[in-house]
Amino acid sequence: MQDFKFNIYDLSSFTHWVDVSLYSYCTPFWAMMWEMIIIGVAMLLFYAVIGLFLVYAERKVCAFMQNRIGPNRVGPYGFIQTVADLVKLLMKELVIIRKSDKFLFYLAPFIVIIVNFMTMAAIPFAKGIHAIDFNIGVLYIMAISSMGVIGVLIAGWSSNNKFSMIGAMRSGAQIVSYELSVGFSLITMCVLAGSMQLSTIVEGQSECWYIFQGHIPAIIAFVIFLIAGTAETNRGPFDLAEAESELTAGYHTEYSGISFAFFYLAEYINMFIIASIAATVFWGGWMPFHISGLAGFNNIMDFIPPFIWYIGKTFVIIWIMMWFKWTFPRLRIDQLLTLEWKYLLPINLVNIILMALIVLMGWHF
Amino acid sequence: MKSFIKYISDIFSGVASLLKGMRVTGKYFFSPRAIVTQQYPENRHKKGKKKLEMFDRFKGEVIMPHSENNQHKCTACGICENNCPNGTIEVISVMNIGEDGKKKRALDKHIYRLSMCSFCALCVKTCPSKALAFSQEFEHAVFDRKKLIKILNKPGSTLMKGIE
């Protein structure tokens, strides 16, 4: 058995220690089960904390952009406001819709949540904190994260309500369109990285982040990813799926209490997932900011733990997405489709060719 | 070719106009001084901060301004009482005999029921001698509704000289 080692800069020794000690105490089957339970509980806690914090952050950011103060009564600076909101939602009645499809109606929020969990499993949070490292991690994340729309469609259909249905159909059209842009901008970065494995992608950015390595096409891909990612999470200015002024609340009109909270939380976690993919692929995930040649500067940057780097980058991208939401008005459905099919897609296709050319000629840093 | 140039220029002009909007909100985000919201109970008496004050034309409650010699301008003519749509005001007058032996009406009590007032300002506007005014007081909550019945003239006050 190994000695206990906890190194904040390299958590793989800690996770390895947990793994080895579990296998030495239990049979392999139970050791694996225990590992799954530990990871699941950790993810669940992280999910709840991040979800609550993001709701608070959204309200604060929105307030500051509109010259307001935002939540400021519950706790210092209103910090426990969202906890109070959650307690309220937990205690509220679950209204049963008489003519709804009850099984699907209660299933829909869980599909959205499960999809979130499956995506989060493949995200590298820090060195060694990475639940499962597929060799096709980017493809897996792409495939799973777009499954969330099934939950949205089920919610809209089973509510037996025309507003919910319209919202769900809009969400479907939106995902089908913008999934292309997300995919193509990630493919552009995979061309540069030469790998789809997320751990390899992060390791490849130890010298310089990919957004700087790939210069022009990487920046174009990053901007397109941000736009398409915002659209994919159904957030404003692309929030046609809920569009409160037209469809009351879209697909979750009929939901109440905790099943509404699930949808609400899932929306924010989707934003977190999109932001962490952007941070991982473009900004180097947990990799500190390094400038090759400046050893002193690099050492100072290495002093900050990788998890802080990861969270910091993710929150900067989340802040940019909130900035979008609270600046731009909502698009019409035809404007939404025009933006995707006439602008983002052609630019993206040209961008891939440009990136391939740059990689072939060795013009990247 | 022309349409292609338009396509490209559309992209750039679109991005430029989006950035213009983002610059405004971004500037607001990073300038906490731009916040216009006031936090109510805190801005009443908090040290170092400007006390909450209402603007001049704010209709807080009807008052009767008195001079430093405890003199008011009310002649007890009752025009405010007649004009009031809610029956808020009740003017009680007394008949005094003046120095020249003539009977003269004077104000005894000007009763103002704040609980019935709709702040329409008809009393203040129609007062011929400008005896009534609005104060900037806005915290009217009390625990006893009797406290909402106010007598506007101060005890022992007299009519200002030169007002008939």
Side-chain angles (χ1 to χ4, degrees), chain A residues 35-351:
Chain A
E35 279 180 4
M36 283 182 180
I37 289 168
I38 289 169
I39 292 169
V41 169
M43 284 271 185
L44 202 66
L45 281 176
F46 186 70
Y47 189 95
V49 169
I50 286 289
L52 289 178
F53 180 73
L54 281 182
V55 175
Y56 169 77
E58 165 103 305
R59 291 181 63 179
K60 267 298 195 204
V61 168
C62 155
F64 282 133
M65 286 187 177
Q66 297 172 346
N67 284 348
R68 295 185 288 113
I69 297 173
N72 54 46
R73 295 292 168 196
V74 192
Y77 300 99
F79 209 76
I80 6 181
Q81 175 72 54
T82 45
V83 179
D85 287 347
L86 182 76
V87 171
K88 185 204 76 172
L89 280 171
L90 278 169
M91 291 195 293
K92 279 185 104 170
E93 184 193 358
L94 283 172
V95 180
I96 298 163
I97 312 297
R98 209 188 309 141
K99 290 196 175 173
S100 65
D101 188 334
K102 289 200 182 58
F103 175 67
L104 290 181
F105 188 76
Y106 291 118
L107 183 70
F110 290 99
I111 288 182
V112 178
I113 293 264
I114 287 167
V115 165
N116 275 347
F117 269 96
M118 287 168 80
T119 321
M120 268 168 79
I123 292 172
F125 291 106
K127 198 170 193 174
I129 304 287
H130 192 170
I132 186 159
D133 189 16
F134 288 117
N135 57 353
I136 48 155
V138 175
L139 183 68
Y140 169 81
I141 283 180
M142 280 284 308
I144 291 296
S145 63
S146 56
M147 294 257 289
V149 74
I150 293 178
V152 171
L153 278 170
I154 289 177
W157 174 257
S158 62
S159 297
N160 198 9
N161 170 337
K162 51 183 173 290
F163 289 139
S164 303
M165 193 63 222
I166 292 170
M169 295 312 277
R170 281 182 180 184
S171 180
Q174 201 170 318
I175 295 270
V176 167
S177 314
Y178 279 84
E179 196 68 16
L180 272 172
S181 280
V182 172
F184 278 134
S185 54
L186 287 179
I187 285 171
T188 316
M189 298 319 286
C190 288
V191 169
L192 180 64
S195 167
M196 288 183 112
Q197 191 169 3
L198 282 164
S199 59
T200 318
I201 287 177
V202 174
E203 289 294 342
Q205 304 181 67
S206 59
E207 288 293 310
C208 182
W209 299 351
Y210 279 151
I211 195 162
F212 302 125
Q213 278 187 37
H215 48 91
I216 299 167
I219 290 168
I220 295 173
F222 178 66
V223 172
I224 289 175
F225 183 84
L226 271 190
I227 296 171
T230 315
E232 215 186 329
T233 51
N234 285 334
R235 279 177 60 79
F238 306 101
D239 57 345
L240 291 127
E242 20 190 299
E244 51 268 32
S245 50
E246 307 159 24
L247 303 175
T248 50
Y251 58 90
H252 54 62
T253 306
E254 302 289 354
Y255 283 88
S256 57
I258 197 67
S259 45
F260 167 75
F262 279 169
F263 274 118
Y264 201 66
L265 217 58
E267 195 188 312
Y268 282 95
I269 299 295
N270 267 329
M271 179 169 72
F272 181 78
I273 286 167
I274 290 288
S276 41
I277 296 168
T280 307
V281 175
F282 294 94
W283 291 8
W286 47 263
M287 196 56 84
F289 181 68
H290 285 163
I291 300 172
S292 52
L294 292 174
F297 178 77
N298 291 353
N299 284 340
I300 294 168
M301 288 292 143
D302 282 336
F303 190 68
I304 302 169
F307 188 70
I308 304 291
W309 272 107
Y310 164 78
I311 285 286
K313 288 171 189 178
T314 309
F315 276 119
V316 168
I317 292 173
I318 286 173
W319 179 75
I320 294 173
M321 287 165 83
M322 288 175 178
W323 194 8
F324 286 159
K325 174 162 185 173
W326 298 109
T327 306
F328 303 135
R330 188 189 305 127
L331 273 71
R332 266 194 333 257
I333 187 83
D334 63 316
Q335 290 168 335
L336 182 92
L337 296 176
T338 307
L339 176 67
E340 165 60 24
W341 296 100
K342 280 188 177 170
Y343 291 95
L344 293 188
L345 190 64
I347 293 171
N348 233 331
L349 289 170
V350 172
N351 198 32

Side-chain angles (χ1 to χ4, degrees), chain A residues 27-39:
Chain A
T27 57
F29 173 78
W30 282 109
M32 202 174 73
M33 279 294 157
W34 274 113
E35 279 180 4
M36 283 182 180
I37 289 168
I38 289 169
I39 292 169

